[in-house]
Structures are given as C-alpha cells and as structure tokens.
Amino acid sequence: MANDGREENGAGTSMDTVGSSGSGNGNGNGNGSGNGSGSGGSTRGGEAGAELRSWDQVLDNATPSTSPPYWDTDDDDDPGPRPSDLYGKFTWKIEKFSEISKRELRSNVFEVGGYRWYILVYPQGCDVCNHLSLFLCVSDYDKLLPGWSHFAQFTIAVVNKDPKKSKYSDTLHRFCKKEHDWGWKKFMELSKVSDGFIVADILVIKAQVQVIRENSHRPFRCLDCQYRRELVRVYLTNVEGICRRFVEEKREKLGKLIEDNGRWSSFRAFWSAMEENVRQRLSREKTDVILKAIVKRFFNEKEVTSTLVMDALYSGCKALNYRSRNKKEKRNSVEVDSTSFQVVWVEKDTFVLSDDVLTLLEKAATEPLPPFKEDKGPQNRTKDCSGDDFAKDNVERDERRLTELGKRTIEIFVLAHLFSNHVEVAYREAIALKMQEELILEEEAAGQAEIEFRAKREAAEKEKRSKKKQER
C-alpha cells in the first residue's frame, strides 16, 4: 500500500481503532467559546482539499468521457437515496490549539445522509499518552428511536501545510446506541503535530462521511463517485487481492478436477451423453439466487475495503448486463478488457453460461485473472497529476479495473456455483445411480446364480434318489 500517512487499522479491529467509551458526554466544545474555540462547516477549502477540487474540475471541464455508461450510474430501479445523496464533507478549524487545556473538544454538529454527526478530539489523548485521539460521533444518540443503527464509512484527516504529509485514516462502522462513537485513540503522535500540522496556531481537521444503504439481495453501490475515486487510489491493490484470491481458489479446484484423468474422462463422458435440454437447464441459474450469495460471500462490514469490492461487483453486474444487451454490437473501445473470454450472459432474470460447460471449465482452469498494469507514479490521495488528460485517464483506468475485477469475479462465481450446485450434483447422482444399478445387477446376477445353483442341486438330488430306486 502506498505510504501516504494513512492509518491502516481500518475496520475497528485493533486496539488503536476503538470507540471512545461514551466520550461524547464531556464538557469541552469547539463551537467558538474558550480555549476550545473553532469553526465548523461543510466546506471544501484548505490545501488538503485542493487536489480533490482539481480532480472535480478535470471531470467537469474535460471532454466527454468515452467510458461505458454504467461506471458512474446507480441503480435506476431503486427509488431510495443514492450514495451521492448520503455523502458529505466537513471541515473543522481549531484555533489557538497550543492554548487548549480541556481534555476533549467537540466540533459543530453537521448533517450527512439524514443523520447528525460531530467530531470529537482529545488533544492529549483518550486513555493514551502522547497521542492525538479522534472520533466520529452520532449527535443526540440517546434521543433516537430504540434500535437505531447508522452504517457508515468515514475518513478523518488532519491537514498538513504540505498536502502530501496530511494524515488520513479510514474505517467502516455500524453506529448504534452502545457504539455511538468510533475512531482512533492513537490517530497520530503528538510530537508530529507541530511538524506542519499547526499553521498560525490553527489545527484543521477534515471528515468525509458516507452513509451506506445495504442490500442483502444483490451487489449495491456503496460510495459516492468522488469518494470512491479517492479511496480506490489507495486500496485498489487490496481489492485486487480479494478478487484474485477468490478466482485462484476456484481455478485451483477446477484444475484438480481436470488433472484427475480418470475423473475428468468420466465427467466428460457423462456430460457428452446428456440430452441437450438437460444441459441447458443445468447451465443456468436465477440472478437473484447468485447475487444474494455473492453479497453474503464478499461483504464484510468490518473490512474497510468491502465497500470498494461491492462497488466493483456492482459495476461488474452492470457490465455483464450491458454486454448481454449489446453482444451482437461492436463493443465500446474503453469497456472492460475484451481479451478475456466471456463466461456468462444475462438473459432477463437468469445467468446463462456462454458456452459448453466442458469448454468453460477448461478455460477457467487455465486462464488466470489478467494482471493489473498500473501506471508508474505515487498511488495516494495527493498524487501529482501532469495535466487534465492524465488525471482523467487515471480515473478511467481505475474504474475500468474495478469493473473488470467485479465482472470476472461474478463470472467465476456463477461458473463455480453452477458446477458445484447443478452440474457436479447431477454427475454425482448419475454416478450414484450407475453404482446402484450395477449393485442391483450384481444382486440380480447373484440371485440368478443362487437359483441356478439350487436348481442344479435339486436336479442332482433327484437323480440320486432315482438311482437308489432303480437299485432296489
């Protein structure tokens, strides 16, 4: 991961990333009174935000993008608020920071996603020494309806006069009455605060908050596009690793099947002998079954990169739908990598394999996920961009890669699901039926042999008795 001053203890799983133990009840405030004075508001100013504003200008002023239409679209069928409606920024300037003697300070309350929040800072640390502690808190949490829950991803930054040295931390948390505040006890060492973070005795803290609407039935868009583009420049390697590990795990399983000559030959014979209509039935599955299983497999609410993975899968679904609708037309020149083979198509509400199962299994087992060809240069929040075209190209490159990862992951998931839950089950049932038939034949043969043996024995005894009568 790029070294951009980011806190890597993302999802509340370390000792340094914990709730502040009810810390919203102190008497400090940052609303303009006393030594804890400050001003809060939803702003986009400051040096640390300059680079993000320049990227906004690139996107607004550049020539129209040739990107596929699904990269920046949300679900048109969902009437609820979109990620862009649930995202917001907040800047807090704490004045006379060196004169602060209070244990804790609160920012003004700000609203994001229909919820009220504030930032809580401990200038001398919360239950720790020599550290600045920072938390995002739900305002008036004790006045909310019983059972309330806010699920959000957020970033807190302490701004440095050199934007490249600003300190960022990201995390994902489900806020509730028992955990109404979340953040970092050891956000940064106090000894480093004086190294460019305090200018004119003012400490600037910025927050980005993304409230997330979950959907357990299908991959869902989590992040506002600008927030996503910022995060993907830091976490793309992590997303790549998650998708690659899954694909390689399934490829390894399929590879073992193909390498077992006896079993593979048996499977090929089974599939080749099957009627075409049965093959078609085994090569398809309802999209809602697959997509629900995908969300269950990949969304982990304690992992900060889950939102990017979900966005990648969402774009991958859109790409599959787009390709399926336009598979007979010329593909967009900047669409997801067309060199990789197509595994599935979407027909109405069903995933359908694009080719014969044997062909797809062999291809999937032998063709790995294409490597990511990353442009040279720093991959962090404050990356220098030499021109609008460069910035735009990097945005499209990252979006393309997210879509490619999502699409490929979904395709392999569908193939593995159909093989494990339909094709392999039918194969095992056929093998079991064949073994049962062979056993029945063996039993019938044994029974026939027993009948013949008894008949011969009775004939022999009859002949013996006949000879005895003749001797008399």
Side-chain angles (χ1 to χ4, degrees):
M1 184 179 295
N3 182 14
D4 65 342
R6 172 181 301 279
E7 179 69 46
E8 296 182 2
N9 294 332
T13 57
S14 75
M15 293 295 291
D16 297 335
T17 313
V18 296
S20 60
S21 303
S23 52
N25 298 321
N27 56 10
N29 69 70
N31 299 327
S33 60
N35 292 335
S37 65
S39 61
S42 297
T43 69
R44 300 183 64 177
E47 290 182 272
E51 190 255 346
L52 289 180
R53 285 200 305 278
S54 68
W55 275 57
D56 290 342
Q57 292 166 2
V58 166
L59 296 169
D60 292 339
N61 301 331
T63 56
S65 173
T66 54
S67 305
Y70 46 78
W71 277 357
D72 280 330
T73 58
D74 298 324
D75 198 333
D76 296 331
D77 297 330
D78 188 347
R82 300 184 177 188
S84 57
D85 303 322
L86 303 175
Y87 169 75
K89 297 180 180 181
F90 176 79
T91 297
W92 181 22
K93 295 181 180 179
I94 306 177
E95 300 174 356
K96 299 180 181 180
F97 187 79
S98 62
E99 300 178 16
I100 292 174
S101 59
K102 294 181 178 180
R103 180 173 180 264
E104 64 179 49
L105 304 173
R106 290 189 190 186
S107 74
N108 285 339
V109 173
F110 59 97
E111 186 170 322
V112 173
Y115 304 129
R116 291 162 55 82
W117 314 83
Y118 66 89
I119 300 171
L120 187 66
V121 60
Y122 288 78
Q124 300 298 322
C126 173
D127 301 330
V128 295
C129 297
N130 304 317
H131 281 81
L132 185 72
S133 302
L134 279 170
F135 303 90
L136 178 68
C137 310
V138 176
S139 179
D140 300 324
Y141 70 91
D142 54 340
K143 298 179 182 179
L144 298 178
L145 294 174
W148 68 269
S149 174
H150 306 342
F151 188 42
Q153 179 157 348
F154 64 94
T155 297
I156 292 182
V158 176
V159 178
N160 192 289
K161 62 182 180 181
D162 180 355
K164 294 180 181 179
K165 294 182 179 179
S166 294
K167 170 70 174 177
Y168 295 85
S169 292
D170 311 294
T171 192
L172 188 65
H173 182 61
R174 186 179 298 281
F175 291 85
C176 59
K177 187 173 183 178
K178 291 184 178 180
E179 295 182 344
H180 56 274
D181 45 19
W182 201 253
W184 298 265
K185 286 187 175 182
K186 295 182 178 180
F187 187 88
M188 64 183 300
E189 296 178 13
L190 286 178
S191 60
K192 296 180 179 179
V193 173
S194 59
D195 185 17
F197 290 94
I198 299 177
V199 179
D201 208 16
I202 298 175
L203 183 73
V204 179
I205 298 173
K206 288 178 175 285
Q208 298 179 78
V209 180
Q210 176 73 69
V211 175
I212 297 171
R213 291 179 65 234
E214 301 163 87
N215 187 338
S216 62
H217 299 290
R218 55 180 173 176
F220 51 94
R221 179 74 85 190
C222 294
L223 305 171
D224 169 79
C225 65
Q226 291 299 323
Y227 193 31
R228 180 174 72 252
R229 288 167 180 171
E230 181 180 338
L231 292 174
V232 77
R233 289 158 61 195
V234 180
Y235 293 114
L236 182 56
T237 302
N238 302 64
V239 177
E240 172 108 11
I242 291 170
C243 295
R244 186 174 295 278
R245 283 192 295 273
F246 171 78
V247 171
E248 292 304 313
E249 173 192 329
K250 299 305 179 183
R251 286 185 61 246
E252 182 180 0
K253 181 178 179 180
L254 297 176
K256 289 181 179 179
L257 166 66
I258 295 173
E259 290 171 2
D260 187 338
N261 294 329
R263 188 182 174 202
W264 182 239
S265 297
S266 173
F267 178 77
R268 289 179 64 92
F270 153 77
W271 187 255
S272 299
M274 186 175 291
E275 296 181 0
E276 182 62 25
N277 64 325
V278 180
R279 288 192 204 177
Q280 292 179 358
R281 178 172 55 82
L282 297 177
S283 300
R284 58 182 59 224
E285 180 64 277
K286 290 291 186 180
T287 54
D288 56 353
V289 174
I290 295 288
L291 297 180
K292 186 175 182 179
I294 287 175
V295 173
K296 184 177 181 180
R297 170 66 175 76
F298 286 99
F299 191 69
N300 178 0
E301 67 177 49
K302 296 186 179 297
E303 175 53 55
V304 71
T305 54
S306 283
T307 51
L308 283 173
V309 172
M310 204 51 44
D311 272 20
L313 294 169
Y314 176 90
S315 293
C317 285
K318 290 289 186 180
L320 283 171
N321 282 314
Y322 181 82
R323 277 191 165 189
S324 297
R325 290 194 304 266
N326 301 278
K327 58 184 176 181
K328 293 183 180 181
E329 300 176 7
K330 185 177 180 180
R331 292 171 184 165
N332 193 308
S333 60
V334 295
E335 200 184 343
V336 291
D337 184 12
S338 60
T339 60
S340 60
F341 67 96
Q342 187 80 14
V343 178
V344 300
W345 298 114
V346 181
E347 295 181 0
K348 294 183 179 180
D349 60 349
T350 305
F351 282 117
V352 181
L353 293 181
S354 64
D355 204 340
D356 183 74
V357 165
L358 297 177
T359 301
L360 292 175
L361 290 177
E362 289 175 337
K363 284 185 177 181
T366 56
E367 295 188 20
L369 189 66
F372 177 43
K373 297 179 181 179
E374 186 174 16
D375 293 343
K376 293 182 179 180
Q379 295 298 308
N380 54 43
R381 291 183 189 268
T382 56
K383 179 174 65 176
D384 293 327
C385 300
S386 57
D388 291 356
D389 289 341
F390 179 87
K392 177 173 169 292
D393 288 345
N394 277 271
V395 167
E396 292 195 352
R397 179 206 63 191
D398 291 343
E399 294 284 4
R400 182 186 300 113
R401 186 54 178 168
L402 273 183
T403 302
E404 180 187 347
L405 288 169
K407 174 181 173 295
R408 182 66 165 164
T409 301
I410 291 172
E411 287 188 308
I412 296 301
F413 191 100
V414 173
L415 179 60
H417 173 90
L418 289 174
F419 176 73
S420 299
N421 295 277
H422 293 322
V423 179
E424 191 174 29
V425 170
Y427 170 66
R428 290 181 176 178
E429 288 177 349
I431 294 297
L433 181 60
K434 183 178 180 181
M435 292 176 62
Q436 186 178 17
E437 290 174 347
E438 291 176 349
L439 181 61
I440 291 173
L441 290 175
E442 289 178 2
E443 291 177 349
E444 290 178 348
Q448 185 63 34
E450 178 68 21
I451 292 173
E452 292 177 357
F453 174 76
R454 289 179 180 178
K456 289 181 179 179
R457 187 174 63 181
E458 290 177 358
E461 289 178 353
K462 184 176 181 180
E463 182 178 359
K464 186 177 180 181
R465 287 195 299 269
S466 177
K467 287 181 179 180
K468 286 182 179 181
K469 288 182 180 180
Q470 290 176 1
E471 290 175 357
R472 292 177 184 175

